[in-house]
Amino acid sequence: MRNPHAVYFTNVRFFLILLVVLVNLLTALPGLPDAAQALVAGIFTFHLPVFVLVTGFFTKKFWETPDAAAGLLRIGLQYLFFQTVYSLLDLFWLKTPGMEHSFWLPYWMLWFLTAHLGWKLLLVPFRKLKHPIAAAVLLGVAAGCLPADAGAWMGITRMLVFFPFFLAGYYWREGGKAPQPAAVRRLLKAGAALLLLALPVLWQAAGAEAAAEWLAGGTAYADLGVPAYAGAAMRLAFYAAQAAASAAFLQLLPRTESRVTVLGGRTVYVFLLHGAAIKLLAAAGLLGLLTERLHAGGAVTAAAIFAAALAAAGIVAVLSSGKLAAAMRPVIEPDAGRLLRWMHLQPRERRARGTY
């Protein structure tokens, strides 16, 4: 297929999209019980940082290719299309209370598109810095001082908060390492698994709902109820927790090419379409039934969480199918290069590669 690092990170994308769908499904439910909220906070600790890191890894050659402009335009077209579709769906059918519709306020998970565009543009000046990741950390810490309205504009607060992870992926070293002894690998995997399993327990003890807000990265320090200096210290602490959890998660994933690698290559389809799938489940009343089971307590709550995981896996399986990818390719991966050539803004080159 490709080099081993590309195979590995494509595998990572598959497992990440499973977690993204599960978390978005759970957070779509009203009033999560403590166990489900703790699970969400545990997943939040690493799933977004690693997703951003992987995105940065696949951006390594972006500015060295002749189709960089087409890649940026493709993200913009994806955002315009899905922001319109999701907003119309909400306005005329779902009617989510309190939802403000604007092209400047990304709808739900679409903040990742505007952030992705911003990260690629930020690469231009940051590649010239001596310590770009340290500078990005400082910028991410400062982002919490933005007022709520300013930070929500095009998802700028989350874009800046997660930018250090994007740079970490961009600067990921691809050089070979000496193989570790099998005993060491087993020990590292066991430690990583224990850390990830402990996260929900730790966050539940610390306050899972508040932790999830910090980990999501989109809330200003003032709205989190802390002064700027305390918020800055908290952000650094959360960065450390996210880095440790992300390293643990990456330690556990397969590196060989398989069916998972093929599905991992279609995560953009799942990402852009799973919001509609979750909304349709909610409109059908199925999420309401799941909510009732989640609040039942004990084994019923555990079974409901397992059912949510199965539903997330089903959504991923359907949306990452080859037939759906072929049918949806024109809107998911529009030929931005052709549009630029039609506008006489790009010479005739091969079509730009996917942006994810």
Side-chain angles (χ1 to χ4, degrees):
M1 178 191 168
R2 290 164 287 185
N3 70 64
H5 293 277
V7 170
Y8 170 61
F9 279 118
T10 304
N11 292 343
V12 171
R13 289 199 303 194
F14 171 76
F15 291 100
L16 284 172
I17 203 66
L18 281 172
L19 294 175
V20 167
V21 176
L22 174 59
V23 164
N24 284 342
L25 191 154
L26 288 174
T27 53
L29 305 177
L32 283 179
D34 290 345
Q37 187 64 63
L39 176 64
V40 167
I43 296 173
F44 262 21
T45 314
F46 60 88
H47 89 303
L48 278 176
V50 178
F51 213 133
V52 176
L53 182 146
V54 172
T55 304
F57 174 84
F58 284 107
T59 308
K60 281 182 178 293
K61 307 292 185 181
F62 181 76
W63 287 109
E64 283 72 44
T65 59
D67 49 19
L72 293 175
L73 179 58
R74 179 176 294 109
I75 299 172
L77 292 173
Q78 289 169 338
Y79 177 72
L80 289 173
F81 179 82
F82 283 97
Q83 180 76 358
T84 301
V85 168
Y86 278 116
S87 295
L88 291 176
L89 184 68
D90 197 84
L91 278 169
F92 295 106
W93 183 27
L94 300 172
K95 303 183 186 298
T96 305
M99 178 67 71
E100 185 177 348
H101 297 284
S102 167
F103 277 103
W104 308 114
L105 296 174
Y107 187 90
W108 197 11
M109 72 288 180
L110 295 182
W111 71 269
F112 198 91
L113 290 178
T114 59
H116 189 187
L117 190 63
W119 294 326
K120 286 186 169 177
L121 293 173
L122 283 171
L123 272 180
V124 177
F126 270 76
R127 288 190 305 171
K128 300 175 183 178
L129 300 179
K130 187 175 182 180
H131 301 289
I133 296 179
V137 167
L138 294 177
L139 190 60
V141 169
C145 298
L146 289 171
D149 291 343
W153 187 84
M154 300 301 280
I156 193 169
T157 294
R158 298 183 88 176
M159 178 186 76
L160 297 177
V161 166
F162 287 102
F163 185 47
F165 297 102
F166 183 84
L167 285 179
Y170 180 78
Y171 286 109
W172 186 280
R173 298 184 65 178
E174 299 185 48
K177 294 181 179 179
Q180 296 170 325
V184 174
R185 291 198 303 272
R186 286 194 294 269
L187 185 61
L188 288 173
K189 288 181 182 294
L194 286 174
L195 173 59
L196 295 183
L197 289 172
L199 284 174
V201 179
L202 294 173
W203 288 132
Q204 186 166 9
E209 189 171 355
E213 276 199 273
W214 278 95
L215 293 163
T219 308
Y221 297 146
D223 294 327
L224 289 166
V226 296
Y229 67 89
M234 290 285 286
R235 174 65 64 210
L236 289 172
F238 274 99
Y239 272 152
Q242 288 171 306
S246 298
F249 179 71
L250 289 171
Q251 185 70 36
L252 296 174
L253 300 186
R255 295 179 175 272
T256 55
E257 190 169 356
S258 65
R259 176 63 178 168
V260 164
T261 316
V262 176
L263 298 177
R266 300 176 187 149
T267 53
V268 63
Y269 292 85
V270 184
F271 175 76
L272 290 174
L273 296 172
H274 81 276
I278 291 172
K279 295 290 186 181
L280 291 173
L281 290 176
L286 297 178
L287 295 192
L289 293 175
L290 187 59
T291 302
E292 293 175 9
R293 303 298 187 276
L294 279 173
H295 286 276
V300 178
T301 295
I305 292 174
F306 182 70
L310 288 179
I315 290 171
V316 171
V318 171
L319 298 184
S320 59
S321 69
K323 290 183 178 179
L324 184 137
M328 297 297 296
R329 184 167 289 114
V331 295
I332 300 291
E333 296 188 279
D335 192 347
R338 174 180 289 185
L339 178 59
L340 288 177
R341 291 192 298 272
W342 178 77
M343 297 170 66
H344 304 290
L345 296 176
Q346 177 174 291
R348 290 190 173 275
E349 298 280 354
R350 62 177 175 82
R351 180 182 174 181
R353 295 177 64 185
T355 55
Y356 291 87

